[in-house]
Amino acid sequence: MAAEAHSIDALGQFKLHTALGPFGASVNFTQSNLMMVIAAGLILALLYFGAKPRAVVPGRLQAAAELAYDFIHKMCVDQIGEEGRRFFPFVFTLFFFVLFGNLLGLLPFSFTYTSHIAVTATLAITVIVLVTVVALAIHGMHFFTYFWPKGTPVALAPIIIPVEIISYLSRPVSLSIRLFANMVAGHVMFEVFASFMVMMAGAGVIGYFGAAGPLALNVVLMGFELLVAFLQAYVFAVLTCIYLHDAVHLH
Amino acid sequence: MDPVPDDASKSPSAPSLSAMGVGMRVGVELLATLMVGLAIGWALDRWLHTSPIMLALFVVLGGGAGVMNVWRLMAPGRMPGGK
């Protein structure tokens, strides 16, 4: 590679810096926070302007809002059961916060807040605390039989109980790692291929043709990342529903 | 997938990258349980001053929990009886 002084800095894109000039700097308001506010604003705008026309035959925006509502509502009822309606606002908020974070991160010059484990872990811990509180509120002390499946031989108790507890505690960990790892992996790949492109282009005329390869790869990757962005938000929401189902029905 | 009922796995986006998704989920599941086991063992050791014993024990239990989670993920159909 002829491009000197250009190395691949794949992780620099995840660095936080303060946004909104001196105002942001004085309260450590980072670009990550800014993206969260934008995402929240966009979700509220989608619902507000989507619901505003109240047309019998919905327009595009209203159709999108109704689709979003129906999609999560169906997910809640299917996965949790009739009690799932009570958790609809929570799951809806969670799904769209993650989805908009993933999707906004794909825009140039933006930032993917779901690529920080601090964010995903906070969401996952919120989920698991809610699930535990719901289970305790519904079942009381009976909740602890969750760690002692019916029909297990008593001799296995010293192994099964710690294993079940570890398995339960691993839920937020796997939930947060899955989302954050997917987002980081995708963005690192973008950066690496884009760096190849710049390096190739630095090699002269032949390099311009060579650079077409990484460019094509990045285009394909963008399509793939759109899918991953949706899929990871979906998986996050579905797993939340499954955990809530376990909490409501226990076994 | 986890104990996802049938209709969830039939959703439009789920099957398209199933192989990679499943591989990713198994990997994450094993890693997560191992990390939790490690954390519990380390904390117990710190508390009880039994330096390597609890760590060694809970890493093994964490690995076991990981295999159990993967089994629940992959088991042909949900186990009919208890969870």
Side-chain angles (χ1 to χ4, degrees), chain B residues 7-59:
Chain B
D7 51 279
S9 51
K10 274 186 214 130
S11 86
S13 58
S16 46
L17 85 170
S18 51
M20 192 177 160
V22 165
M24 180 94 189
R25 289 203 57 189
V26 169
V28 166
E29 212 68 60
L30 287 174
L31 182 75
T33 46
L34 206 58
M35 274 169 60
V36 171
L38 195 75
I40 293 177
W42 183 79
L44 280 181
D45 268 343
R46 234 174 100 93
W47 179 39
L48 301 171
H49 302 285
T50 51
S51 194
I53 301 167
M54 286 299 173
L55 189 70
L57 192 68
F58 272 88
V59 164

Side-chain angles (χ1 to χ4, degrees), chain A residues 16-233:
Chain A
L16 290 172
H17 52 76
T18 54
L20 299 182
F23 302 107
S26 61
V27 289
N28 267 329
F29 189 82
T30 63
Q31 85 272 43
S32 175
N33 301 127
L34 182 64
M35 292 312 291
M36 289 182 203
V37 172
I38 292 173
L42 284 177
I43 298 164
L44 289 176
L46 169 70
L47 290 178
Y48 179 73
F49 291 110
K52 210 177 176 188
R54 294 164 190 261
V56 179
V57 180
R60 273 174 297 187
L61 203 61
Q62 194 185 343
E66 285 179 0
L67 203 65
Y69 182 95
D70 281 344
F71 178 63
I72 303 296
H73 190 265
K74 190 172 174 310
M75 187 197 291
C76 282
V77 173
D78 285 352
Q79 302 286 347
I80 311 177
E82 278 306 302
E83 303 94 325
R85 291 174 204 282
R86 286 156 64 191
F87 303 106
F88 169 75
F90 177 71
V91 179
F92 188 89
T93 313
L94 205 59
F95 176 79
F96 278 93
F97 188 65
V98 173
L99 179 68
F100 273 62
N102 295 350
L103 288 179
L104 286 175
L106 292 175
L107 298 176
F109 304 111
S110 76
F111 181 83
T112 328
Y113 56 76
T114 44
S115 68
H116 274 214
I117 195 155
V119 176
T120 59
T122 308
L123 293 175
I125 289 169
T126 312
V127 168
I128 211 69
V129 168
L130 176 84
V131 166
T132 311
V133 167
V134 164
L136 279 173
I138 294 180
H139 301 284
M141 286 300 120
H142 190 64
F143 163 67
F144 292 100
T145 60
Y146 186 81
F147 301 117
W148 180 235
K150 272 192 219 93
T152 317
V154 180
L156 283 178
I159 299 175
I160 287 291
I161 292 175
V163 163
E164 287 282 354
I165 291 173
I166 291 174
S167 167
Y168 189 78
L169 291 178
S170 78
R171 285 169 169 191
V173 179
S174 66
L175 206 56
S176 53
I177 289 180
R178 186 178 305 120
L179 177 57
F180 131 90
N182 270 291
M183 288 302 117
V184 168
H187 285 261
V188 165
M189 282 202 284
F190 276 137
E191 185 78 35
V192 168
F193 288 135
S195 299
F196 281 165
M197 220 151 71
V198 175
M199 285 174 173
M200 290 279 220
V205 182
I206 306 165
Y208 285 126
F209 293 105
L215 177 65
L217 260 176
N218 250 2
V219 171
V220 174
L221 195 61
M222 181 56 90
F224 183 69
E225 281 302 308
L226 278 173
L227 178 67
V228 168
F230 177 78
L231 200 65
Q232 286 307 316

Side-chain angles (χ1 to χ4, degrees), chain B residues 52-71:
Chain B
I53 301 167
M54 286 299 173
L55 189 70
L57 192 68
F58 272 88
V59 164
V60 174
L61 286 174
V67 173
M68 190 180 77
N69 278 357
V70 171
W71 165 251

